[in-house]
Structure formats: structure tokens, C-alpha cells
Amino acid sequence: MTSIARARGSNTWVVMDGPYRFRGSSAGARPMEMFLMSLGGCTAMDVISLMDKMKVPYRKLRISIDYERTDEHPKVYTKIWIHYIIYGNISEEKDVKNIEKAINLSQTKYCSVSAMVKAAGIDLLHDYTIRPPETAEIPEVWEK
């Protein structure tokens, strides 16, 4: 049941798979997980780019996504929550406002995946939390 797919534009390969009980080998993300990863990745890239342009002194952005799905097939998403966790020394009001602006611009203007979710009639909610930079676990190669 393992599926290897290639994105035509970027020529990037991804592995999707199912659980053992459905003849899969659990060797990759499930398609519905890949959908949520696409949403998280799309908005994260927007927010990071915008925070960089706005010179927000963050150290790391983490995205966490929760959801609700229907119980019957097709088990579509009915509600999705995006939680933005920003790590950094964010103490000035202008930086907090810029974080809010970056998130809102991603959700209302730039993130194509968010736009598709909304167009499909799925409730899309978001919130954010600011945490101290020392609580972020960052590999040395990611240091800014």
C-alpha cells in the first residue's frame, strides 16, 4: 500500500503509506496527515518570512494542528485549529502586533492551503502563544 508520489513543480518525492491492518507498512505519512502538514508548512513559511521582514526577534516558530473529522466515510475534516508557538524575547508591543499581523496575513492573503480549506467550508481557527527562547529545542544548524 506504500505510495511514492512526485510533485511536478518541485520534482520532490514523498512517501505515503497506510497502517498494517490495511496492507500498509506504516512507512510514511497518511494522506490526511499530509494534508495537515501541507497546511502547517504553508502558513509557517508565510509567517516566518513576514516576521523576518518585520524584524521580530523570534528564535523559533512551531506549528501544532488539532482537528475534528466526521465519523462516517469519507472522514473529512470539519474543523481545524492551527496553534502558532513563537519562541523569542518578545517584549515590545510592536513585536506582538507584528506577530499577529504576520499570522493574519498568512491566513487571509498568502497561504493557498488555508484558502482551499476555507473554500471547502471547513472551519479554520488559529491562536498563538509566545514562549521564552530558552524553552525552544533547536539544533545548532538552525540557530539564526
Side-chain angles (χ1 to χ4, degrees), residues 1-3 16-28 30:
M1 170 99 103
T2 303
S3 170
M16 290 183 281
D17 203 355
Y20 293 108
R21 71 178 188 272
F22 295 125
R23 296 181 35 191
S25 53
S26 289
R30 311 293 191 267

Side-chain angles (χ1 to χ4, degrees), residues 47-60 86-103 130 144:
V47 172
I48 287 169
S49 175
L50 290 163
M51 287 193 306
D52 284 347
K53 287 177 185 170
M54 296 174 188
K55 301 195 182 326
V56 174
Y58 74 99
R59 186 167 180 211
K60 177 182 175 181
I86 299 100
Y87 297 86
N89 289 316
I90 315 293
S91 57
E92 294 187 30
E93 185 64 25
K94 73 172 179 67
D95 293 324
V96 173
K97 294 289 185 201
N98 281 337
I99 288 169
E100 292 171 355
K101 183 178 180 180
I103 292 169
I130 298 171
K144 286 181 76 171

